[in-house]
Amino acid sequence: MLGSNTTFYKKLSYDPIAEFQPVTSLLSFPMVLYVSATNPANSLKDLLAQSKTKGLTYASQGPGTAGHLLGAMLQRQSQIDMQHVPYKGSGPAMQDLLGGQVSMLFDGLPAGLQHVKDGRLKALAITSQKRSEFLPNVPTVAEVNAPELAMDVWFGIVARNGLPKETILRLNKDFVDALAAPKVAARFKDQGYDIIPMSSEKFGAFMKAESARWGAAITANQISVD
């Protein structure tokens, strides 16, 4: 995560803000708080109330991932004891959630959307600023009194320092044009992604803002993977 690694990892061998040139942002998606369909909880309040009778576990895609960050923030701010269960990626974390081995998982909208449609998962909250057209009945984190969990996971292109400005501009145009192609745009949108191309300058400012925001959140919640 370009926006958080410098704070998550105290001994990171590179600086993603200082050592790379921004080219463009590409895609983003919100995270969703998922539980198994067999879990009786139908809201975040219901889920947290389970801590009074049994231990809660939250899966993540691994240390330092968005799922880890959101789970740790929820744990600290709800003042409920929850056990972090890190996995090697979204796939195995999702499989154990489906099987009921863990209580909850923050994962991307595209990762769990079909499982919700198939009735295998419940979505209790979404980290976007507004409700998703794909899950219109799922409240935002602001609606469930957890606005600090608002997050969009984003993807972008950066290059090593030293490339000529004209090369950065050409790369930006090529990627932006590719995202604008109707078939490409439709494929991503159908899967729950938002297309968010930016100029190199705007993307650079966005990266700095994200790094500052999530660095502060990680520090405030005393989260570390070292």
Side-chain angles (χ1 to χ4, degrees), residues 13-225:
S13 61
Y14 66 95
D15 186 330
I17 302 299
E19 296 183 26
F20 296 102
Q21 292 175 267
V23 176
T24 183
S25 51
L26 299 173
L27 305 164
S28 70
F29 58 76
M31 298 289 279
V32 178
L33 176 57
Y34 296 110
V35 298
S36 170
T38 60
N39 191 312
N42 290 310
S43 67
L44 176 60
K45 183 178 180 180
D46 290 346
L47 181 65
L48 296 179
Q50 292 177 0
S51 66
K52 297 178 180 179
T53 57
K54 66 176 183 179
L56 292 178
T57 53
Y58 70 93
S60 80
Q61 303 80 10
T65 60
H68 176 200
L69 174 55
L70 290 171
M73 290 176 67
L74 177 63
Q75 175 183 3
R76 184 172 178 82
Q77 293 173 27
S78 63
Q79 299 183 330
I80 289 175
D81 186 28
M82 295 191 291
Q83 179 67 41
H84 177 212
V85 184
Y87 289 82
K88 293 182 178 180
S90 174
M94 185 65 73
Q95 283 302 119
D96 271 10
L97 179 69
L98 289 165
Q101 279 76 40
V102 288
S103 306
M104 70 188 84
L105 168 67
F106 280 100
D107 208 341
L109 173 63
L113 180 59
Q114 192 59 50
H115 293 308
V116 175
K117 291 180 178 179
D118 293 341
R120 303 179 68 196
L121 290 180
K122 296 179 188 177
L124 301 187
I126 189 165
T127 66
S128 50
Q129 298 291 340
K130 61 181 181 179
R131 294 195 182 197
S132 169
E133 63 180 287
F134 296 97
L135 298 171
N137 296 322
V138 177
T140 66
V141 286
E143 291 179 272
V144 296
N145 298 315
E148 65 282 347
L149 300 181
M151 171 191 282
D152 282 321
V153 175
W154 49 268
F155 301 88
I157 301 294
V158 297
R160 295 185 65 178
N161 280 339
L163 283 184
K165 184 175 181 179
E166 57 268 24
T167 302
I168 296 294
L169 291 174
R170 187 175 69 250
L171 287 170
N172 178 279
K173 183 179 185 303
D174 288 345
F175 281 110
V176 171
D177 288 349
L179 288 173
K183 287 186 178 180
V184 174
R187 182 173 179 83
F188 281 123
K189 288 180 178 179
D190 288 346
Q191 295 180 54
Y193 291 89
D194 293 314
I195 299 174
I196 56 164
M198 299 179 192
S199 68
S200 174
E201 293 79 9
K202 186 175 180 180
F203 183 41
F206 173 78
M207 287 174 59
K208 289 179 180 178
E210 285 286 277
S211 181
R213 178 193 175 193
W214 291 111
I218 291 165
T219 299
N221 287 275
Q222 301 178 4
I223 307 167
S224 177
V225 297

